[in-house]
Amino acid sequence: MPDFDLKKYLAERKQMVDEALENTFPEPAGLQKTVLEASRYSLFAGGKRLRPILCLAASEVVGGTTDVAMPAACALEMIHTYSLIHDDLPAMDNDDFRRGKPTNHKVFGEGMAVLAGDALLTEAFEFAASTRLGGTLTPDKLLLVIRILVRASGYRGMIGGQVIDLESENRSVDIATVEYMHIHKTGALLSASLEIGAVLGGGSNEQVSTLTRYGHHLGLAFQITDDLLDVEGDAEVMGKQPGSDAAKNKKTYPALLGLAKSKEAAREHVDAALDALTPFGDSAEPLRAVARYLLVRRA
Amino acid sequence: MPDFDLKKYLAERKQMVDEALENTFPEPAGLQKTVLEASRYSLFAGGKRLRPILCLAASEVVGGTTDVAMPAACALEMIHTYSLIHDDLPAMDNDDFRRGKPTNHKVFGEGMAVLAGDALLTEAFEFAASTRLGGTLTPDKLLLVIRILVRASGYRGMIGGQVIDLESENRSVDIATVEYMHIHKTGALLSASLEIGAVLGGGSNEQVSTLTRYGHHLGLAFQITDDLLDVEGDAEVMGKQPGSDAAKNKKTYPALLGLAKSKEAAREHVDAALDALTPFGDSAEPLRAVARYLLVRRA
């Protein structure tokens, strides 16, 4: 599929995920109205839906459907969203804007932002434990997905990475620590998106671990190219000013490795991600296109 | 069992729960050390373990074991602990001390306290999804327990109650709103403790709903008597000064109903809790003793 249209694919899949979230995430009502409004504010703040899209794609690569993976895909996006709300808090990264909009606590206040994050995290496990959209999954598989979600998002994964980020502020750290941080902070949930999709789609153990490996390298390539954009990116295309990492004294790949070595590392991880897809045929073309895109991304 | 020794029972059960948590909650190690230290600090800060104890008791009342309910009992305590850490944050109740010790954010900083709460909540679902301590549970039952936990702790339960608490500050509210708040903020997880214990112990649907009803009334009696202690309690026995609710302008039962009517309401809920236990024999004696104790509690 040399003519694979990644842009169209991502737009269609984003809409599919948006609709699933819109139809299943609870409507603000009653005395808990505000916390659901706050949750929805961030859940529908223009996210790219990368994790759910990867999850659905992994299910298809191993011969499954998008339907069977959709509740877990929604759960992944809810967990990602909760992590952004809590990360933006004044006690953490103290960010006032995200994707051009005021962050959750700037609109709803800090207390409500903490609760909205808590609510999204909690409800994610309802989605993961649910068969309402999928229908045909065995309870064993749902439990396995819940355990993968916990591992990827808890102290062994995303939270563990955020802890390292928090503790690295104003401290000198080496490249190994930075890589360890990224593998946990963003990589774990990205890999889990692939792993969960492959499990739900009925993949063999080998297929599941191969796709998880793809996710691992994709996550690192994503982070490195993100760091590179902050140095070399075009403000107009990105919709934000580059240079914010340097201003915040963030530990980035370019800062620690230099530009040339960072670009080399990004290419190596994209190659390794593509290599992991070798056993799969045309059905893996979306995943290949996503990996290749990272080397030419401008936003 | 007129000679049932509640004090001894609670002390033994607390130790049993403490040991299970100590043996299964991850040890602080590696780069995520701090967040596990922060989680453990609050998890082992001297809690009474009321929710796990009720969960284990409910399992026994319907003929189950304590072993089968222990992982979920630990999950309930982890969720309770996370809620205390987040509630104590400056953006919420802004408490510097809890049970005579500095609150989590006073020791570890606000950012780490948010993450420790997040980690406890996330890991609770690992415990609930796990059979490592129980062994013989079907995946269906574990999924059911997870859904009960989500409902009780998410926006439909505890978080919903906390939202109402947050929004009621410096605002006049009626007794119906206060009761609704308590039913959600503390009642939902208490009821869920009974419900989950009964499910895991193999109770019939009727037994499960009867014990859940006990939990509902126990939760309200617990809250009302807690409010009463803050008016009439003895500082020396309680280990803290009474009057803090009034000082904080908290919406309490005595403030809204007066002392006499509050005491009457507490008695009515204890009676209703005891009434729910009528179908059960001697095995429900611990639950009866807990309910009766609320009317004579001094701390």
Side-chain angles (χ1 to χ4, degrees):
Chain A
M1 280 196 260
D3 295 331
F4 182 78
D5 188 341
L6 180 65
K7 199 172 162 186
K8 182 162 166 261
Y9 173 84
L10 292 177
E12 281 168 4
R13 287 301 164 103
K14 176 173 154 37
Q15 197 183 337
M16 190 191 281
V17 173
D18 282 345
E19 277 169 20
L21 282 169
E22 185 61 61
N23 293 336
T24 51
F25 194 81
E27 287 290 338
L31 287 168
Q32 298 94 335
K33 197 177 165 197
T34 319
V35 75
L36 290 174
E37 276 173 0
S39 302
R40 279 184 163 262
Y41 174 81
S42 294
L43 193 56
F44 296 103
K48 295 185 289 290
R49 313 302 191 200
L50 179 60
R51 288 152 196 81
I53 290 171
L54 291 172
C55 180
L56 302 179
S59 174
E60 290 180 308
V61 167
V62 299
T65 62
T66 54
D67 280 359
V68 85
M70 190 57 95
C74 291
L76 286 158
E77 188 68 11
M78 288 157 68
I79 290 177
H80 174 58
T81 304
Y82 120 77
S83 77
L84 299 181
I85 296 174
H86 282 190
D87 279 9
D88 287 338
L89 287 169
M92 309 270 249
D93 283 356
N94 194 20
D95 277 317
D96 291 351
F97 288 92
R98 177 173 289 278
R99 298 181 191 126
K101 291 183 184 177
T103 44
N104 202 288
H105 64 273
K106 295 304 279 184
V107 179
F108 296 94
E110 275 184 61
M112 198 59 75
V114 171
L115 291 173
D118 293 345
L120 281 161
L121 172 58
T122 309
E123 230 49 42
F125 290 101
E126 170 81 24
F127 276 68
S130 139
T131 53
R132 54 186 152 162
L133 290 168
T136 55
L137 294 163
T138 61
D140 292 73
K141 271 202 180 167
L142 296 175
L143 281 179
L144 176 56
V145 166
I146 287 167
R147 287 199 207 101
I148 297 170
L149 273 182
V150 169
R151 175 166 43 75
S153 58
Y155 77 96
R156 289 166 287 176
M158 191 174 69
I159 292 175
Q162 178 64 13
V163 168
I164 296 162
D165 198 7
L166 198 64
E167 296 191 320
S168 303
E169 268 178 24
N170 308 315
R171 208 188 277 190
S172 117
V173 293
D174 59 11
I175 187 71
T177 305
V178 168
E179 190 143 302
Y180 186 92
M181 176 186 86
H182 289 312
I183 287 172
H184 289 78
K185 188 173 168 172
T186 54
L189 201 62
L190 272 177
S191 296
S193 306
L194 279 302
E195 186 178 1
I196 288 170
V199 164
L200 292 174
S204 66
N205 287 347
E206 202 182 321
Q207 287 178 318
V208 171
S209 74
T210 301
L211 285 167
T212 307
R213 182 155 56 90
Y214 161 87
H216 170 83
H217 291 293
L218 188 80
L220 281 168
F222 183 84
Q223 187 61 53
I224 299 170
T225 54
D226 206 58
D227 286 357
L228 284 165
L229 277 181
D230 197 69
V231 179
E232 299 189 315
D234 180 330
E236 213 163 303
V237 181
M238 294 199 295
K240 63 175 180 184
Q241 285 298 321
S244 72
D245 288 346
K248 285 187 182 177
N249 197 22
K250 283 255 173 198
K251 280 74 186 178
T252 66
Y253 280 87
L256 286 158
L257 285 183
L259 274 178
K261 280 210 172 168
S262 299
K263 285 179 188 174
E264 196 185 312
R267 180 167 295 280
E268 280 170 10
H269 284 298
V270 167
D271 286 347
L274 292 171
D275 186 60
L277 299 177
T278 311
F280 303 106
D282 280 356
S283 66
E285 204 52 34
L287 295 181
R288 289 190 190 97
V290 168
R292 283 192 208 105
Y293 166 75
L294 292 182
L295 296 179
V296 295
R297 68 187 282 207
R298 295 183 63 209
Chain B
M1 277 196 263
D3 295 332
F4 182 77
D5 188 341
L6 180 64
K7 201 173 162 185
K8 183 163 164 258
Y9 173 85
L10 292 176
E12 283 169 4
R13 287 299 163 103
K14 174 173 155 39
Q15 197 183 337
M16 191 191 277
V17 173
D18 282 346
E19 278 169 20
L21 282 167
E22 185 61 61
N23 293 337
T24 51
F25 194 82
E27 286 291 336
L31 287 168
Q32 299 92 336
K33 198 178 164 195
T34 319
V35 76
L36 290 174
E37 276 173 358
S39 302
R40 278 183 162 262
Y41 174 80
S42 294
L43 193 56
F44 296 102
K48 294 185 290 290
R49 312 303 191 199
L50 180 61
R51 288 151 196 81
I53 290 172
L54 292 171
C55 179
L56 302 179
S59 174
E60 289 180 309
V61 167
V62 300
T65 63
T66 54
D67 279 0
V68 84
M70 190 57 96
C74 290
L76 285 158
E77 189 68 12
M78 288 157 68
I79 289 177
H80 174 58
T81 303
Y82 119 76
S83 77
L84 299 181
I85 296 174
H86 282 190
D87 280 8
D88 286 338
L89 287 169
M92 309 269 249
D93 283 355
N94 194 20
D95 278 316
D96 291 352
F97 288 92
R98 177 175 289 278
R99 298 182 191 124
K101 291 182 183 177
T103 43
N104 202 287
H105 64 273
K106 295 304 279 184
V107 179
F108 296 93
E110 274 184 61
M112 197 60 75
V114 171
L115 292 173
D118 292 347
L120 281 162
L121 172 58
T122 308
E123 231 47 44
F125 290 101
E126 170 80 24
F127 276 68
S130 139
T131 53
R132 55 186 151 163
L133 291 168
T136 55
L137 293 164
T138 61
D140 292 73
K141 271 202 181 168
L142 297 175
L143 281 179
L144 176 56
V145 166
I146 287 167
R147 286 198 209 105
I148 297 171
L149 273 181
V150 169
R151 176 166 42 76
S153 58
Y155 77 94
R156 288 166 289 175
M158 192 174 69
I159 292 174
Q162 178 64 13
V163 168
I164 296 163
D165 199 6
L166 198 64
E167 295 190 321
S168 302
E169 269 179 23
N170 309 316
R171 207 187 277 190
S172 115
V173 293
D174 58 13
I175 186 70
T177 305
V178 168
E179 190 142 301
Y180 187 93
M181 176 186 87
H182 290 312
I183 287 173
H184 289 77
K185 187 171 170 175
T186 54
L189 200 62
L190 272 177
S191 296
S193 305
L194 278 301
E195 186 178 0
I196 288 170
V199 164
L200 293 174
S204 66
N205 288 347
E206 201 182 324
Q207 287 177 319
V208 171
S209 73
T210 299
L211 285 166
T212 308
R213 182 154 57 88
Y214 161 88
H216 170 83
H217 290 293
L218 188 81
L220 281 168
F222 183 85
Q223 188 59 53
I224 298 169
T225 54
D226 207 58
D227 286 357
L228 283 166
L229 277 180
D230 197 69
V231 179
E232 300 189 313
D234 180 331
E236 212 163 301
V237 182
M238 294 198 296
K240 64 176 179 185
Q241 285 298 322
S244 72
D245 288 346
K248 283 188 179 174
N249 197 22
K250 283 255 174 198
K251 278 77 185 176
T252 67
Y253 281 87
L256 285 158
L257 284 183
L259 274 179
K261 280 209 171 168
S262 299
K263 286 178 186 175
E264 195 185 313
R267 182 166 295 278
E268 281 170 9
H269 284 298
V270 168
D271 286 347
L274 292 170
D275 186 59
L277 298 177
T278 310
F280 304 108
D282 281 357
S283 66
E285 204 52 33
L287 296 181
R288 289 190 190 98
V290 168
R292 283 192 208 105
Y293 167 74
L294 292 182
L295 296 180
V296 297
R297 68 188 283 208
R298 295 184 62 208

